[in-house]
Amino acid sequence: MTDPEIYRFRGASLADTSRLAAALAGLLQPGDVIALDGTLGAGKTAFVRALIQALAGQDIDVPSPTFNLLLVYDFADFTLYHYDLYRLESPDDALELDIDEAFDNGVSLIEWPDRLGRYLPPDHLRITITLAGEGGGEARLFVLAGDSRWRRRLLLLEEMLGAQ
């Protein structure tokens, strides 16, 4: 990725996380790959849950795919693939999950994306989530970085949510 465009969002609560996720959900297009970075408990799955619920327009059940590695959600405009690659032993194992087809035709949300190695597309959007509060609260800092393909959408996101 060259010259990444960066947007920062500081959320004080789970409601703020949901607001960011809902805004991004409205900007997704088939072929998008979102790489979610953060330590255990940083809020990757909570972010994905809020994004999927925003796309569904209701509070549907969105479990973590930790044990089965992949959950699939069909929406009107695309199929969303939610990967949790924490237990992936080798990047080549991702090919068994048809991840290349997901990259071409759907929207892919990937927790633990570094486990993909060379298979992670270079034009992905990276969202790094870090704890921003003291004592294990709900405050989070989200840093979004992508190449020029994401520039317009990150600017729209900033307009919707405000500069932080």
Side-chain angles (χ1 to χ4, degrees):
M1 214 183 320
T2 59
D3 297 320
E5 297 298 320
I6 295 178
Y7 172 69
R8 296 175 187 276
F9 180 84
R10 187 175 298 277
S13 66
L14 190 54
D16 288 339
T17 295
S18 295
R19 193 165 63 94
L20 173 62
L24 183 61
L27 301 175
L28 295 177
Q29 303 169 3
D32 284 346
V33 176
I34 313 276
L36 294 150
D37 279 332
T39 60
L40 282 172
K44 296 179 297 294
T45 301
F47 178 83
V48 170
R49 182 174 295 118
L51 188 143
I52 292 171
Q53 289 175 345
L55 288 169
Q58 58 183 320
D59 288 340
I60 62 171
D61 185 38
V62 181
S64 172
T66 299
F67 294 104
N68 47 358
L69 303 178
L70 168 65
L71 294 172
V72 179
Y73 301 87
D74 290 315
F75 296 105
D77 296 331
F78 52 77
T79 298
L80 186 141
Y81 300 87
H82 178 198
Y83 295 93
D84 183 328
L85 302 180
Y86 183 75
R87 296 182 321 114
L88 201 69
E89 293 183 21
S90 159
D92 290 333
D93 292 343
L95 298 178
E96 295 177 22
L97 301 171
D98 294 325
I99 203 160
D100 49 342
E101 180 180 325
F103 290 164
D104 290 339
N105 303 316
V107 170
S108 301
L109 302 175
I110 306 169
E111 298 184 45
W112 305 99
D114 292 340
R115 298 189 187 247
L116 276 179
R118 64 188 167 99
Y119 296 118
L120 183 64
D123 61 350
H124 66 276
L125 176 68
R126 184 167 297 268
I127 301 176
T128 303
I129 307 170
T130 55
L131 301 173
E134 295 182 25
E138 294 180 351
R140 302 287 187 272
L141 174 63
F142 297 84
V143 177
L144 290 75
D147 62 10
S148 60
R149 182 175 165 249
W150 284 97
R151 174 189 283 270
R152 182 185 58 77
R153 289 190 274 172
L154 290 179
L155 289 172
L156 286 171
L157 192 66
E158 184 176 359
E159 287 176 18
M160 287 188 279
L161 298 171
Q164 296 195 358

